[in-house]
């Protein structure tokens, strides 16, 4: 990305396809944003800039690019993102392009998110069902999608079992909600056929 292209992006407001961060807070927040973009339309995350155009820059952009790649690979299923460090007014700005996922939903820490305007919200059971419906054309497709989601849930469940903190009890409740959504998706899809 050229500095002029970046200036053009910075001049825009946040939206369902554009997010500004002055810094990366933590891996979980980053995963939330990446999965939300992949579950919606794809988009661009710009790190080192505040909405409105204030440039903050980032330290060690190469290290941050590695962190972004690692986080994108931990999302279920993994997402291939592109990141580019662009120098603007002597400051390194990180531009992360997240594609629209071809096999949504994408889960970050057991939860699926989407972009709604400039906000990130959790996917509802109806939206999860809709994503399965879009990719499923036959009973075999439904069963394959359910198997994929079940594998994601199983992997998340094993990760939760490995770490026994009070925060994970909340994740267990969310995971239970996802399992319930998957069961309702299967039943509704099977009744459709």
């Amino acid at each position: 990305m050229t500095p002029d292209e970046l200036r053009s992006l910075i001049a825009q407001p946040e939206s369902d396809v554009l997010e500004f961060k002055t810094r990366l807070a933590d891996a979980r927040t980053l995963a939330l944003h990446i999965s939300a973009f992949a579950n919606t339309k794809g988009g661009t995350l710009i790190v080192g800039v505040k909405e409105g155009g204030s440039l903050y820059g980032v330290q060690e952009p190469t290290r941050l690019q590695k962190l972004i790649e690692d986080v994108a690979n931990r999302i279920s299923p993994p997402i291939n993102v592109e990141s580019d460090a662009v120098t603007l007014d002597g400051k390194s700005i990180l531009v992360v392009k997240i594609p629209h996922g071809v096999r949504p939903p994408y889960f970050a820490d057991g939860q699926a998110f989407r972009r709604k305007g400039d906000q990130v919200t959790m996917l509802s059971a109806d939206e999860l069902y809709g994503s399965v419906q879009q990719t499923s054309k036959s009973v075999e497709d439904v069963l394959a999608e359910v198997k994929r989601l079940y594998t994601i849930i199983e992997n998340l469940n094993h990760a939760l079992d490995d770490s026994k903190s009070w925060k994970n009890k909340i994740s267990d409740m969310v995971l239970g909600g996802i399992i319930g959504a998957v069961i309702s998706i299967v039943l509704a899809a099977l009744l459709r056929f």
Side-chain angles (χ1 to χ4, degrees), residues 159-173:
L160 290 173
D161 286 343
D162 291 342
S163 58
K164 302 279 186 192
S165 75
W166 66 271
K167 290 180 183 177
N168 288 329
K169 294 197 186 308
I170 294 171
S171 296
D172 283 341
M173 292 187 311

Side-chain angles (χ1 to χ4, degrees):
M1 173 171 287
T2 68
D4 287 338
E5 290 171 329
L6 180 55
R7 283 186 201 283
S8 176
L9 273 177
I10 292 172
Q12 298 176 30
E14 287 186 338
S15 66
D16 57 345
V17 295
L18 183 62
E19 175 80 22
F20 297 101
K21 293 289 181 197
T22 56
R23 63 184 177 82
L24 292 179
D26 56 49
R28 185 188 186 295
T29 302
L30 177 60
L32 179 145
H33 284 286
I34 291 173
S35 69
F37 277 124
N39 282 327
T40 312
K41 298 178 187 174
T44 304
L45 174 64
I46 300 177
V47 184
V49 176
K50 184 176 182 178
E51 184 177 20
S54 300
L55 300 179
Y56 287 76
V58 296
Q59 301 294 318
E60 303 180 59
T62 305
R63 183 185 63 78
L64 289 177
Q65 286 175 295
K66 175 71 172 126
L67 171 67
I68 290 165
E69 184 179 312
D70 290 345
V71 167
N73 285 327
R74 286 192 349 232
I75 292 171
S76 297
I79 300 170
N80 292 321
V81 300
E82 295 178 18
S83 62
D84 191 18
V86 179
T87 302
L88 200 58
D89 296 343
K91 297 180 180 178
S92 291
I93 308 297
L94 202 56
V95 179
V96 184
K97 293 189 178 194
I98 300 108
H100 178 250
V102 294
R103 295 288 312 259
Y106 292 87
F107 292 88
D109 292 331
Q111 299 170 322
F113 299 93
R114 68 178 169 87
R115 302 267 315 172
K116 189 171 187 177
D118 63 351
Q119 300 296 310
V120 174
T121 61
M122 193 179 301
L123 280 173
S124 68
D126 287 340
E127 290 166 322
L128 285 170
Y129 173 72
S131 90
V132 170
Q133 226 178 3
Q134 288 176 356
T135 60
S136 304
K137 305 298 180 216
S138 67
V139 172
E140 291 81 18
D141 289 344
V142 170
L143 294 175
E145 186 64 12
V146 168
K147 183 177 180 181
R148 181 181 79 89
L149 292 172
Y150 179 79
T151 302
I152 291 169
I153 290 167
E154 279 294 304
N155 291 338
L156 293 168
N157 200 23
H158 290 302
L160 290 173
D161 286 343
D162 291 342
S163 58
K164 302 279 186 192
S165 75
W166 66 271
K167 290 180 183 177
N168 288 329
K169 294 197 186 308
I170 294 171
S171 296
D172 283 341
M173 292 187 311
V174 171
L175 186 59
I178 292 171
I179 291 170
V182 168
I183 290 169
S184 68
I185 289 167
V186 171
L187 292 175
L190 290 175
L191 293 174
R192 184 178 72 173
F193 294 106

